Amino acid sequence: MFSDYSLSELGAIFAMQGFAGLILFSVFVLMALGLAIIFGQMGVINMAHGEFMILGAYVTYLVSNAFAAYMPALFGAYFFVAMVLAFCASGLLGMAVEWAIIRHLYKRPLDTLLATWGLSLMLQQAFRSLFGAREVGVTIPDWMMGSMAVTDMIEVPINGIFVMVLALGISAAIYVMMYRSGWGRQVRAVTQNRVMAGAVGINTERTDRMTFGIGCGVAGVAGAAFTMIGSTGPTSGQAYIVDTFLVVVFGGAASLLGTIASAFSISQAQSILEFFLSGSMAKVITLLVVVGILMLRPQGLFAMKLRK
Amino acid sequence: MTRTSFLKRDEAVGLAILALIIFVVFPVMLDDFRLNLFGKYLTYAFVAIGLVLCWGAGGILSLGQGVFFGLGGYCMAMFLKLEASTPEATAIQSTPGIPDFMDWNQITALPVWWQPFDSFALTLAAILVVPAAFAFVIGFAMFRRRVSGVYFAIITQAIAAIVTILIIGQQGYTGGVNGITDLRTLMGWDIRPDGAKTALYFVNGVLLFVCLLVAMAIRKSKFGRVLVAMRDAEDRVRFSGYDVASFKIFIFCVGAMMASVGGAMFTLQVGFMSPTIVGIVPSIEMVIFCAVGGRHSLMGAVYGALLVNWAKTTFSESFPDLWLFGLGALFIAVVMAFPNGLAGLYDDYVKPRLPMRRTAPATQPQPAE
């Protein structure tokens, strides 16, 4: 399959596909980070994660419309406002859901899965009723349009770079939060030993709620970033949920670094294969390899060493 | 409890009532169109019974039962499609004698793996063997490595996604997103008229009872008890010297075979098979049939499948917007308010008031993890 291309062409193909893969990587990382907190740290299966993402995307859509109507002068900056609002909207909804549903089901993970699936169906229908069944897109600010020419054969889009920078920034922020702050220490303590954490004075219920809320909030930010590279429909979230779970499980559920590494390998494999095979076959092969590896190594790439 | 006969009295009564509903009440009450629709619902009951065995009894939640349902359905559809694609019927194609969608996709010869489906006997064998083999491979790889619970659910869901993408992507070999349509005859017998559909409904009902009895036999055997023990305390069973993985693999294969039989009957009654019935969403809906009926109750699974599908048809006909809200609320309500489903409600509220002589109530099963 390589013989039809010259060496420099192949180089350019790999570079361009590699970059497309990097954008996919950023999307995966953004989606998976929220899930890595919720699933990796709390062990909760949140099937509605995609819908929290889409909520963030719709918030961005609303904010961009509001800016276009009332503050056209500041339009270039709307995205940052939208990001904060998306985080708050998804986070608050997440905390409400934790209070109403999840906290009753911590001991029954498979039931959480079914309940959150039900929640995802309801949210989808709510989006459809509120925003219509058709996909909506936002107007990208001018400074994010266009592309940068690296060499004469390789061009990279600026919105892609922006999403990548955002993904890296949020990963760093979450790393600091989880491993360098008092709150992160509490979260990890509750995860490792709930009873003991409660005994030393950590409010485990509040920690759970905050953790779940922040995980959902990060999903909302991912959704906001998502609008920069694609349009949003009521069922867009569902399309990504399997990928996202595989990324988290493949990386080793409790490891942030593992999540990033697995997002990287899955997205690169998929986008490079996509050029040579059809899109669907590239996806099938990537997923098959991931599932195959998980069957051989169920604990994922980076497993925490612990006694169960 | 002493074992006097295969069925306890209330089980026999329950089976008789179910038989009465399926073989007498529905055919008398419903017109041909509705009867066919209920036949379709009953094909999902096969999956739900398999799930009661895997999930309720064994604690293995598979979110990929749609794959096995689809495998059975596709096996049957391939046989019917080949029968419908005689060289005479397809004379206008550039390659007569192959299914129409292959011709549209510039395929000029029947692929090797389609060829066994010329024979009805081989097709019937494939309906049982193919999903069992597939389930064996998945189960062997995963249960031997002690993958269970949530991880198993996620991986089976990924498998459902893979299979769906594969079927849609390989349009020339599988019919793509449209599936395999325009099925006409089974061994020369036209399956499209109302009379044939009614006959198929009864065949379906009989097969369902066979599955129910097999499942009951499994649950009553020593094997079934080991299975429940495994669900509740896997390590203890393992330390007692049982090979836990083999038990799980076996029950997973049985569940897959039942789903597959249901799929084959689905194809026969509905007249097509498509990837929309294989994917993630239908697979997880199949779990809700089982959960609504009661994850520990085999007969509850049948009622669950009937009730949820009937509600789906009714509500999505009259209130398409509200249906997803209703289904979502049903998921949440079943999990949070009555985890033992309809069967649990029956045990808690109806059974104590029945004027039947009965033995001491059995201990309530706890919801599986």
Side-chain angles (χ1 to χ4, degrees), chain A residues 45 107-110 242 295, chain B residues 145 150 157 280 284 335 369:
Chain A
I45 311 281
K107 295 218 170 73
R108 290 151 53 189
L110 287 178
V242 171
M295 282 179 173
Chain B
R145 293 189 180 268
V150 166
Q157 187 172 49
I280 294 171
I284 206 163
V335 166
E369 281 290 305

Side-chain angles (χ1 to χ4, degrees), chain A residues 213-296:
Chain A
I214 286 179
C216 291
V218 172
V221 176
F226 208 55
T227 57
M228 296 295 114
I229 49 177
S231 51
T232 309
T235 52
S236 309
Q238 210 169 52
Y240 280 95
I241 192 73
V242 171
D243 290 330
T244 317
F245 265 109
L246 277 188
V247 166
V248 175
V249 175
F250 186 54
S255 159
L256 209 58
L257 187 67
T259 302
I260 292 172
S262 85
F264 185 77
S265 41
I266 291 177
S267 58
Q268 287 300 319
Q270 191 172 323
S271 81
I272 290 177
L273 279 174
E274 238 165 41
F275 188 80
F276 297 104
L277 302 163
S278 68
S280 64
M281 282 314 284
K283 182 130 204 198
V284 165
I285 291 175
T286 319
L287 289 182
L288 267 182
V289 171
V290 171
V291 167
I293 292 176
L294 278 180
M295 282 179 173
L296 297 176

Side-chain angles (χ1 to χ4, degrees), chain A residues 21-290:
Chain A
L22 282 179
I23 298 180
L24 191 65
F25 161 65
S26 319
V27 173
F28 277 176
V29 165
L30 284 172
M31 288 189 313
L33 277 177
L35 205 65
I37 296 175
I38 293 173
F39 177 57
Q41 298 296 330
M42 303 171 72
V44 171
I45 311 281
N46 183 13
M47 280 293 181
H49 195 74
E51 277 63 37
F52 282 102
M53 219 173 86
I54 299 307
L55 177 66
Y58 275 120
V59 168
T60 313
Y61 166 73
L62 290 179
V63 171
S64 84
N65 283 358
F67 266 68
Y70 302 109
M71 288 175 279
L74 292 174
F75 191 73
Y78 83 83
F79 184 74
F80 300 99
V81 179
M83 222 166 67
V84 173
L85 286 179
F87 181 85
C88 296
S90 294
L92 285 176
L93 183 66
M95 284 165 79
V97 165
E98 201 274 346
W99 174 79
I101 302 175
I102 311 281
R103 72 186 165 122
H104 305 291
L105 301 172
Y106 279 124
K107 295 218 170 73
R108 290 151 53 189
L110 287 178
D111 284 9
T112 329
L113 190 156
L114 294 180
T116 48
W117 181 266
L119 178 72
S120 84
L121 293 181
M122 293 171 84
L123 286 175
Q124 273 173 31
Q125 187 54 46
F127 295 148
R128 199 172 289 128
S129 308
L130 288 173
F131 299 100
R134 232 181 309 153
E135 301 210 331
V136 296
V138 301
T139 320
I140 303 175
D142 290 333
W143 58 270
M144 242 190 262
M145 304 274 246
S147 57
M148 259 169 22
V150 181
T151 68
D152 49 353
M153 265 199 290
I154 304 171
E155 279 194 346
V156 292
I158 291 177
N159 58 354
I161 296 176
F162 178 76
V163 171
M164 271 164 53
V165 171
L166 199 65
L168 291 178
I170 292 176
S171 311
I174 287 181
Y175 174 79
V176 171
M177 252 181 359
M178 291 302 295
Y179 295 99
R180 291 285 177 272
S181 78
W183 172 79
R185 209 169 294 125
Q186 289 189 354
V187 171
R188 285 180 292 139
V190 171
T191 319
Q192 282 173 16
N193 192 335
R194 182 173 299 269
V195 179
M196 203 59 214
V200 296
I202 298 173
N203 186 341
T204 56
E205 276 187 23
R206 208 190 60 192
T207 310
D208 282 336
R209 196 156 309 145
M210 285 296 287
T211 315
F212 196 81
I214 286 179
C216 291
V218 172
V221 176
F226 208 55
T227 57
M228 296 295 114
I229 49 177
S231 51
T232 309
T235 52
S236 309
Q238 210 169 52
Y240 280 95
I241 192 73
V242 171
D243 290 330
T244 317
F245 265 109
L246 277 188
V247 166
V248 175
V249 175
F250 186 54
S255 159
L256 209 58
L257 187 67
T259 302
I260 292 172
S262 85
F264 185 77
S265 41
I266 291 177
S267 58
Q268 287 300 319
Q270 191 172 323
S271 81
I272 290 177
L273 279 174
E274 238 165 41
F275 188 80
F276 297 104
L277 302 163
S278 68
S280 64
M281 282 314 284
K283 182 130 204 198
V284 165
I285 291 175
T286 319
L287 289 182
L288 267 182
V289 171
V290 171

